[in-house]
Structures are given as C-alpha cells and as structure tokens.
Amino acid sequence: MVGLLRIRFLSLLQRGQMVIDQLKQIHAQMIINGFNCCREASMVGKLIDCYCVVSAPVGMDYARLIFRYSEEPNVFIYNVMIRCMPPKEATQVFAHGIARGKLVFDSFTYKYVLGACARLSSSMGLWEGKQIHARIIKVGFTSDVAVQTTSVHFYARRNDLLSARQVFDEMPVRASASWNAMITGYCSERRGTKDHAKEALVVFRAMLLTCNVKPTDTTMVGVLSACSHLGVLETATSVNGYLHKVKHDPEGDVFIGTSLVDMYSKCGCLSTALNVFKRMKEKNILTWTAMMAGLAIHGQGKEALELFSAMEANNIRPNAVTFTCLLFACCHAGLLDEGLHLFYSMSSKFGVTPQIQHYGCIVDLLGRSGCLQEAFEFITQMPLQPDPVLWRSLLGACKVDGDVVMGEKVGKLLLQLQQEQGSLDSLSTCEDYIALSNMYALAQRWEDVEMVRETMKVKGIQTKPGCSLVQSVSLLLAEQ
C-alpha cells in the first residue's frame, strides 16, 4: 500500500495535476497507513511543498498542521517549511529547530532562511540575518558558495552594501551568481547613487578578468542598469559593444533589450533607444514602460501617449509604473487635459488604483499649468494622506507663478506637517525654510524673511552649501 501510494503521489506531482482534493485524499491515506516522518521524510516534505503551492492560503494551513503534528520532523522537512512559508514564519520555524537542539541543519537550511530574512519587510530583518550569518560562520559553512552568495544577496537587499562587499571579497571561490548578487546589489533602484553604479562596473571589470567565470544575461542586465544610473554615454556604448561581441542578438532577449532602451534613454540618446525598441522581437510591459519613461524624460509627452495607444493595441495592460511615466510625460509637456483624463481613467478603465506618486504627478501638472487653487483643493480632497513632497511641489509652483499668498499658506502647512511627523531629514527641513523665506523675499517682506532665518538659527537648522560636480567615467573592458 505504501509503495502504491508513493507511485500515485509522485505520478501526479510529475504531471502537474495535483489539486487540493487529491492532496487531501493522499494525506488521508498517509495518516491511515501510519506514515512516519523518520521513515518517509521525503514523502511528507513533498506533501507539505505541494500544499503550499497548489492552494494558498488554505494549503498553507494544511502544511502547518502536518508540520505541527509530525512525530520527528527532520532537516528535510524543516527545509521545506522554511522555503515555502512567508518570510517571518520561515525565521520562526528556523528558530524552533534551533531550540530543539537535536537537529544539525545543512547548507540548504541557511540558504533558505537567509533568503527569508532578505525578504522581510520589517527593520528586524537585518538584525535577524546577522545572527544567522554569525551562526553560518560558527558552524563552518563559509566555504559553501551558495550560502555565501545568499549572504551577499541578503546584505545587499537590506541596504548594507559594506557587509555585502566584505562577504564577497572574502569568498575563496565565486560562481557567476556571486558576481551577479554583488553587481545587482549595487544597481538596486532603492539606492541608485552614481558611486554605487561605478562600483558595479568595477566589479564587472574584475569579473571579466576572472578566467573561470563568464557573465550571464543577469550580469548584463545589472551592468546596463549601472550605466543607466551613471548616464554617461561613453560607458554605455562600451558596455553595449561588449554585449554585441559576446551575444549575437541582444535585442532578441526581452530583458536585455529593455535594459538597453532604459540605458540609452537615460544617457540622452533617445534615437538609439527608439531603434532598439523597434528592433526588439518581443516586448513586455517593462519594455513599453521603459520606452515611455525615456520619451517622458526628453519632454516628448505626445509621443509617449501615442506609444501608450500602440501598447493598448497590442493587448498589453498598463500597470502603476506605466501611469507614473505617462503622467510625468504630461507634466513636462504641459498636457493638462490628457493628464487629467489618464488619471481618472486609471481605476475606472484599467483597474489600477492611484498611489501617492500619481497624485504627486497631478499636483505637479496643475502647478505647472498655473492652476494653483485647483492643485491645493486636489491635495486637501485626496483620499490618501498627503506627504511633504506634494506640498513642496505646489510650493515650487507658487514661487514660479509669483503667488505669495498661496505660497505662504502652503509653506506653513509644509513646516507644520514636518513638525507633526517629527522629520529627522535636516536637509529637507532646511530646504522648506529656505523656500518659504524666498517666497517672502519675492514679495519684499523682509521682516518675514528675517523671522524665518531667525527661526532656523534657534532650531539649529543650517543651510547646506551648494556644490557642482563634473563627472567623467570611462570603463576599459578587458579583451576577451
């Protein structure tokens, strides 16, 4: 009976026909036949895995019950639970196994739990991951390439690039995934500084000089992203030349092609971005959005809207990022009616709920069009809590339009909001005070200017010195 049950289970699993009712039948047979975790750990683990995949969240509840009432769950079952459960619960399962004191976890365990820590949304993710990394060092898994690569990925995801680089530099052996983790860590959109982009290219050059590891498509997507952050055309063309050298048809890969469109757009070469876009054999929503963003950056709002119509004709549904790019394009092209129509059709026609960035685009659009009162009412009536960015956008429009009365009202609201939120960003607070001071100076209200400056002195808010940067970046690729 046990053999037949195993054959039926594995047969359904291989054919991909597993549904929740069949799983429950097999589960019932396993209970009736007294399946024991020590004896049939692989079967129990696969059952947990299938429950997590085929019917979440109901299947997850069954998986938890199996794990809870297992007689002696072993490392394999713990690994399946850590891999399949949500990040917070995965770390709790790991802690439960450590508390038992009998299990000796393997490299897969540490790889899965570090991955869970990387995905944790709470600020405790970094602290928990560091404890696990310390345990990895203690038990001696520092020579395992997969575990160390996951450690690099974990630290990069948690914005601790110094620790990520230290782990990377100390690795005795690196796989292509290790290099990719470090390069993509530097190129993450959450950081996006030019210094990090330069470091990504330095790592890439070192990778080229390593004989036993070759760049993959993932590597090149990360490198192209670094070039986008830098915005230096010389570097972009060097990397693209290398890409054509090692890959016969870069535009044939949708992800590399999309990265090329984004890179050339941000490097100021819109015509080349359009050529790459037109030559691409396959385009997804990211490709269309990247091209619209490029048109928006260069002030070609009407062309971006035309591209949006072409995307609809190709049955590609827009997402929230698509609308952000389109509204940004309308702002910089002064397309007030088109922008408002897009905003109000997001939810009704496309089922995309407007987020704070979309409201910010509309405020910017109304402000640039001189509709200051409408922008003020739009902010006060929006269903979301307005953030300081929206008020700053309107304050800037007031200064351009010379509306001191509205500017004073908005400036005071902005400072009040900063005080209520207890903002610790001294740079932003300084800029807000300076903006209000400039509004008073525009109206020649010098006493009010002096009052604002005096308030800054009392609160210890110092103006930040201005600076300019001349940047020249070149990347000499090694001969391959």
Side-chain angles (χ1 to χ4, degrees):
M1 182 64 186
V2 171
L4 291 175
L5 187 60
R6 181 185 290 106
I7 292 171
R8 182 188 176 197
F9 183 36
L10 296 178
S11 174
L12 288 170
L13 184 62
Q14 290 172 355
R15 288 184 295 169
Q17 297 178 348
M18 194 71 71
V19 295
I20 190 69
D21 291 336
Q22 293 171 324
L23 277 176
K24 289 166 72 175
Q25 291 173 12
I26 294 174
H27 188 188
Q29 289 294 327
M30 290 175 69
I31 295 173
I32 291 172
N33 287 275
F35 264 57
N36 182 300
C37 287
C38 295
R39 203 175 57 228
E40 297 292 344
S42 62
M43 289 281 289
V44 175
K46 287 183 174 68
L47 180 64
I48 292 173
D49 193 6
C50 289
Y51 265 132
C52 292
V53 172
V54 301
S55 182
V58 176
M60 297 286 245
D61 293 334
Y62 282 108
R64 294 183 183 100
L65 286 172
I66 295 171
F67 178 75
R68 183 182 303 169
Y69 292 106
S70 296
E71 295 178 11
E72 287 291 334
N74 62 5
V75 172
F76 178 78
I77 294 175
Y78 268 95
N79 287 352
V80 173
M81 284 294 293
I82 293 170
R83 177 170 55 85
C84 296
M85 289 293 111
K88 183 61 179 176
E89 193 170 349
T91 59
Q92 293 171 350
V93 171
F94 176 77
H96 178 269
I98 294 294
R100 289 182 61 192
K102 299 179 180 179
L103 294 174
V104 178
F105 286 126
D106 57 18
S107 61
F108 292 100
T109 314
Y110 292 105
K111 185 172 67 172
Y112 296 148
V113 74
L114 265 183
C117 290
R119 299 191 303 274
L120 277 173
S121 57
S122 67
S123 58
M124 292 295 292
L126 179 61
W127 183 86
E128 292 185 26
K130 283 185 174 181
Q131 308 306 308
I132 294 168
H133 188 214
R135 191 171 186 86
I136 289 171
I137 296 172
K138 180 179 179 180
V139 298
F141 279 114
T142 53
S143 59
D144 189 288
V145 176
V147 173
Q148 290 295 80
T149 298
T150 307
S151 300
V152 173
H153 169 73
F154 157 72
Y155 281 116
R157 280 288 300 268
R158 304 309 304 191
N159 294 320
D160 189 353
L161 286 174
L162 290 177
S163 297
R165 186 59 184 269
Q166 182 178 352
V167 174
F168 178 80
D169 289 340
E170 292 174 355
M171 291 180 67
V173 179
R174 304 185 187 105
S176 59
S178 312
W179 295 90
N180 294 345
M182 196 67 254
I183 291 171
T184 54
Y186 278 127
C187 299
S188 172
E189 289 291 339
R190 293 170 296 168
R191 288 170 286 275
T193 68
K194 294 185 183 298
D195 288 339
H196 289 149
K198 290 179 190 177
E199 285 298 319
L201 295 181
V202 170
V203 173
F204 174 58
R205 187 177 187 278
M207 183 182 187
L208 294 180
L209 297 174
T210 304
C211 299
N212 60 333
V213 179
K214 298 298 180 184
T216 63
D217 290 348
T218 303
T219 313
M220 297 315 301
V221 169
V223 171
L224 292 171
S225 176
C227 294
S228 299
H229 288 315
L230 285 173
V232 179
L233 186 58
E234 178 188 359
T235 305
T237 53
S238 297
V239 171
N240 192 21
Y242 171 80
L243 188 57
H244 278 275
K245 182 178 178 180
V246 298
K247 193 175 181 67
H248 177 67
D249 183 22
E251 292 86 2
D253 185 301
V254 64
F255 297 105
I256 290 181
T258 300
S259 299
L260 284 170
V261 169
D262 180 61
M263 179 187 73
Y264 276 117
S265 297
K266 292 178 179 176
C267 290
C269 201
L270 184 62
S271 59
T272 305
L274 284 167
N275 287 334
V276 173
F277 178 81
K278 291 174 182 177
R279 291 199 305 267
M280 289 180 64
K281 300 178 180 66
E282 180 187 355
K283 303 180 182 74
N284 59 18
I285 182 59
L286 299 176
T287 313
W288 291 91
T289 301
M291 193 66 255
M292 290 177 205
L295 292 167
I297 291 170
H298 291 83
Q300 299 190 19
K302 291 183 179 179
E303 290 79 0
L305 293 176
E306 291 172 1
L307 192 64
F308 178 64
S309 300
M311 187 185 79
E312 285 188 274
N314 282 271
N315 297 318
I316 305 293
R317 289 192 63 82
N319 58 23
V321 180
T322 309
F323 281 105
T324 301
C325 296
L326 288 170
L327 292 174
F328 180 79
C330 291
C331 288
H332 287 265
L335 304 175
L336 178 60
D337 293 337
E338 292 86 345
L340 291 173
H341 175 72
L342 269 175
F343 178 81
Y344 289 111
S345 66
M346 283 178 60
S347 179
S348 60
K349 184 177 179 181
F350 300 100
V352 179
T353 304
Q355 302 298 319
I356 192 69
Q357 62 269 24
H358 303 118
Y359 286 97
C361 288
I362 293 300
V363 171
D364 190 25
L365 177 59
L366 290 170
R368 288 172 182 263
S369 302
C371 305
L372 302 181
Q373 184 61 38
E374 290 83 351
F376 182 85
E377 294 173 357
F378 182 81
I379 295 176
T380 56
Q381 294 173 8
M382 58 185 283
L384 302 178
Q385 180 67 30
D387 62 8
V389 177
L390 269 68
W391 291 114
R392 288 191 195 109
S393 176
L394 181 55
L395 182 59
C398 292
K399 181 181 177 182
V400 172
D401 207 56
D403 191 334
V404 180
V405 176
M406 177 65 76
E408 181 181 15
K409 181 194 299 186
V410 172
K412 289 182 177 179
L413 282 171
L414 178 58
L415 293 176
Q416 181 181 353
L417 179 62
Q418 293 274 46
Q419 185 176 0
E420 290 174 355
Q421 293 181 347
S423 176
L424 300 176
D425 188 351
S426 59
L427 177 58
S428 298
T429 305
C430 165
E431 291 174 349
D432 295 338
Y433 275 101
I434 295 297
L436 181 58
S437 174
N438 290 341
M439 287 298 305
Y440 287 137
L442 186 66
Q444 297 186 356
R445 294 167 53 177
W446 306 114
E447 292 182 358
D448 292 325
V449 171
E450 185 178 354
M451 178 192 68
V452 172
R453 298 286 179 167
E454 188 63 31
T455 303
M456 291 177 65
K457 289 181 182 179
V458 171
K459 294 189 175 183
I461 301 173
Q462 297 181 352
T463 56
K464 303 298 179 182
C467 64
S468 60
L469 176 65
V470 178
Q471 180 180 17
S472 175
V473 179
S474 62
L475 176 67
L476 182 61
L477 296 181
E479 290 292 334
Q480 297 295 308

